[in-house]
C-alpha cells in the first residue's frame, strides 16, 4: 500500500509531467469542446474545494487532526491536473494563460511548502520534546548533588579522580561522575536549544513561503473568475 506521502509525490509527478507534456505537445481546441469544458469545470470545482481547508482552519477553528491537510493537497493536485488537460495548452486566450501559470505556481508553491514546511515542523517538535526530557533529567540529577560539590566542580577544584589515595575516594569519584553527567546534560540542552532556534528561523521562512502560496491562490481565483466570465461573455464554442 502506498502512504499519503507517496500518493502526494505521485500526484505531483503526474501534474508536473502533464504540464510539461502539454507544453511540448499542445492539443489546441480541446478546451473549447464539450468534454473540454466539462473537464475544466470539474477541475475548477476541485480547486475550489481546496478552500475547505482554510475555511475549517480559520472560520471553524479546526486545527491539527480535526482538519487534515491531505484532502486539500489531493484537491489541489487533481483539480489543476484536470485543468491542465482542459487547457490543452492553448495560448490563444491571454487570461487562460495567466490562469494556467497562476495555477502552476500555486501547485508548485504548495508542493514545496508541503515537503519543506512539514520537515521543519516535525524537527522542531521532536527537538522540543527531547529538550523537555533532558530538562526533567537535569532537574532529577541535580537533586542528587549538593550545591557545594557543584561549585567546587565548576571551579575545577573537584579532584576526586586524584583522590584515590584518600579513604573516601570511591564516594568522591561518584560525585565527580555525577557532576560531569550533569554538565553533559546541560550541554545537550544548550545544543538542542540552539538547534531549535535555527529551526525556528527556517520555520519563519516557510511560514512566509506559505503566505506566497496564499497570495498566489487569491490571484488564481480572481483570474479564474475573469476567465469564466469571459467564456460566458464570448460564448461557448460548442453551443
Ligand atoms: C489549486 C490549488 C491550491 C489552492 C487554491 C491552495 C490554497 C491554499 C490556501 C488558501 C491555503 C491557506 C490555508 C490557511 O488559511 O492557512 C493553503 C495552505 C497550504 N497549502 Fe494549498 N492550495 C492549493 C494546492 C496545494 C497543493 C497542491 C499543496 C501541496 C502539495 C498545498 C499545500 C499547502 C500547505 C502545506 C499549506 C499550509 C497549511 C497550513 O499552514 O495550515 N496546497 N493552500
Amino acid at each position: 500500500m502506498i502512504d499519503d506521502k507517496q500518493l502526494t509525490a505521485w500526484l505531483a509527478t503526474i501534474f508536473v509531467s502533464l504540464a510539461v507534456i502539454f507544453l511540448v505537445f499542445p492539443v489546441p481546441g480541446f478546451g473549447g469542446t464539450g468534454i473540454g469544458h466539462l473537464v475544466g469545470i470539474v477541475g475548477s470545482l476541485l480547486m475550489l474545494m481546496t478552500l475547505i481547508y482554510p475555511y475549517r482552519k480559520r472560520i471553524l477553528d479546526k486545527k491539527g487532526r480535526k482538519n487534515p491537510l491531505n484532502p486539500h493537497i489531493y484537491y489541489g493536485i487533481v483539480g489543476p491536473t484536470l485543468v491542465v488537460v482542459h487547457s490543452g495548452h492553448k495560448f490563444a486566450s491571454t487570461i487562460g494563460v495567466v490562469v494556467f501559470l497562476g495555477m502552476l505556481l500555486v501547485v508548485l508553491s504548495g508542493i514545496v511548502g508541503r515537503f519543506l514546511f512539514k520537515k521543519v515542523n516535525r524537527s522542531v517538535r521532536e527537538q522540543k520534546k527531547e529538550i523537555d526530557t533532558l530538562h526533567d533529567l537535569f532537574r532529577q540529577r541535580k537533586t542528587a548533588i549538593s550545591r557545594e560539590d557543584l561549585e567546587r566542580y565548576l571551579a575545577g577544584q573537584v579532584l576526586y579522580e586524584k583522590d584515590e589515595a584518600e579513604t573516601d575516594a570511591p564516594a568522591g569519584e561518584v560525585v565527580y561522575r555525577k557532576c560531569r553527567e550533569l554538565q553533559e546534560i546541560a550541554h545537550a540542552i544548550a545544543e538542542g536549544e540552539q538547534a531549535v532556534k535555527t529551526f525556528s528561523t527556517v520555520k519563519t521562512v516557510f511560514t512566509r513561503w506559505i503566505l506566497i502560496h496564499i497570495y498566489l491562490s487569491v490571484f488564481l481565483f480572481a483570474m479564474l473568475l475573469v476567465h469564466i466570465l469571459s467564456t460566458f461573455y464570448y460564448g461557448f464554442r460548442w453551443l
Side-chain angles (χ1 to χ4, degrees), residues 63-87:
K63 290 183 182 150
R65 279 168 194 227
K66 287 187 194 159
N67 190 21
L69 185 64
N70 281 346
H72 171 83
I73 293 175
Y74 301 147
Y75 299 140
I77 296 181
V78 178
T81 303
L82 293 181
V83 174
V84 169
V85 173
H86 156 82
S87 77

Side-chain angles (χ1 to χ4, degrees), residues 93-109:
S93 116
T94 313
I95 210 74
V97 173
V98 173
V99 172
F100 187 89
L101 291 179
M103 192 191 68
L104 209 67
L105 291 177
V106 171
V107 177
L108 293 182
S109 63

